[in-house]
Amino acid sequence: MKRRLREGSLEQMGAHSVYAIEDDIGAGLGHRGDEAAHSEDLVRHALKYAGEGLRVLPIHPPDKTSTSGCSCGRAECSSPGKHPISGLVPRGHLDATTDPSTIEEWWGRYPEANIGVVPGPQHFVVDVDPKNGGLESLEQLGADFGPLETRRMQTGSGGYHLWFRSARRFRQRNGLLPGIDIKTERGYVVMPPSRHVAGAYVELNGGEIQGAPTALVDFINGSWDSGEHRVGTRPEIGRVPYEDGKIPEGRRNSTLMSLAGSMRAR
């Protein structure tokens, strides 16, 4: 499609300007095509997660034209691109579903909606925030409980989500360790291919969700029950084993390779 020009405008503007207009229009059409493909990808992933038995809900996507950076339209939004679309799910994550027809209806009405998924009741997510020491804490968990190999996602802000299965149920846990939260069925996480104000959510390892090490589950439950950030029989848990609390530069790659090597490479 080409924009129609007024008679005589070719001479007035010059051929180069006309070509520039046509290029801009083509770029606009390409952008709309990319957005349509992204919308199709969103609903396809939402249905895939639901097919795995994970309850899904629509989340407001980011909006660069909004002063808050969120499509909710509020002048001040504390969670741009991360909170439920209340017009579709007034009770938030409690209205999440695995019903395909409902999911198709939601994304039919709001095709750019991000995807929220509720873990559980037999799943939990280890939420890793590198900005608050999450990678160092993840390295410590791996040293105590073995390599935490399972389905992994990279968040739009540069963090990571590690999904696990567990027959045991426990409360959502914020601040289990520095930069480590535990997400359960009491909340939700945003999933790929959703967008964040700082980037995109990416699937790093789309394999099966693995069963959590029993000792890790014991640690999560034990630390919550005792109100402490360590298990009584393992006092070293929760302490990064370096004097300054950080992994030394010379050992960073080797110590994180088995746990977060693939994530760091992304």
Side-chain angles (χ1 to χ4, degrees), residues 32 67 106 109 115 194 235:
R32 288 197 293 271
T67 56
W106 283 342
R109 294 174 60 184
I115 304 170
S194 300

Side-chain angles (χ1 to χ4, degrees), residues 89-201:
V89 284
R91 299 187 303 157
H93 74 280
L94 297 178
D95 288 329
T97 185
T98 59
D99 178 56
S101 61
T102 301
I103 292 170
E104 289 176 346
E105 179 185 354
W106 283 342
W107 267 267
R109 294 174 60 184
Y110 213 123
E112 295 182 359
N114 277 348
I115 304 170
V117 170
V118 178
Q122 295 190 340
H123 299 92
F124 69 91
V125 175
V126 177
D127 185 358
V128 182
D129 181 4
K131 295 189 295 294
N132 290 307
L135 285 180
E136 288 79 4
S137 294
L138 181 63
E139 187 271 341
Q140 180 64 51
L141 288 176
D144 289 308
F145 304 123
L148 305 179
E149 291 298 330
T150 188
R151 182 180 295 184
R152 300 184 299 279
M153 314 289 185
Q154 183 175 26
T155 70
S157 60
Y160 303 101
H161 289 160
L162 281 68
W163 280 77
F164 291 99
R165 288 185 292 103
S166 175
R168 296 167 62 180
R169 301 173 71 174
F170 38 86
R171 302 181 187 183
Q172 188 148 301
R173 185 73 164 97
N174 292 328
L176 177 72
L177 294 175
I180 298 285
D181 295 337
I182 303 298
K183 304 296 186 182
T184 70
E185 61 184 330
R186 293 175 179 266
Y188 63 90
V189 294
V190 181
M191 298 285 281
S194 300
R195 290 172 174 168
H196 183 273
V197 291
Y201 290 79

Side-chain angles (χ1 to χ4, degrees), residues 30-46 59-62 107 110-115 190-196 199-202:
H31 176 72
R32 288 197 293 271
D34 291 343
E35 290 302 308
H38 179 62
S39 296
E40 292 175 0
D41 204 21
L42 284 166
V43 69
R44 183 168 59 251
H45 275 78
I59 303 293
H60 274 289
W107 267 267
Y110 213 123
E112 295 182 359
N114 277 348
I115 304 170
V190 181
M191 298 285 281
S194 300
R195 290 172 174 168
H196 183 273
Y201 290 79
V202 179

Side-chain angles (χ1 to χ4, degrees), residues 212-224:
T214 301
L216 174 60
V217 176
D218 288 342
F219 171 55
I220 295 170
N221 279 328
S223 65
W224 176 267

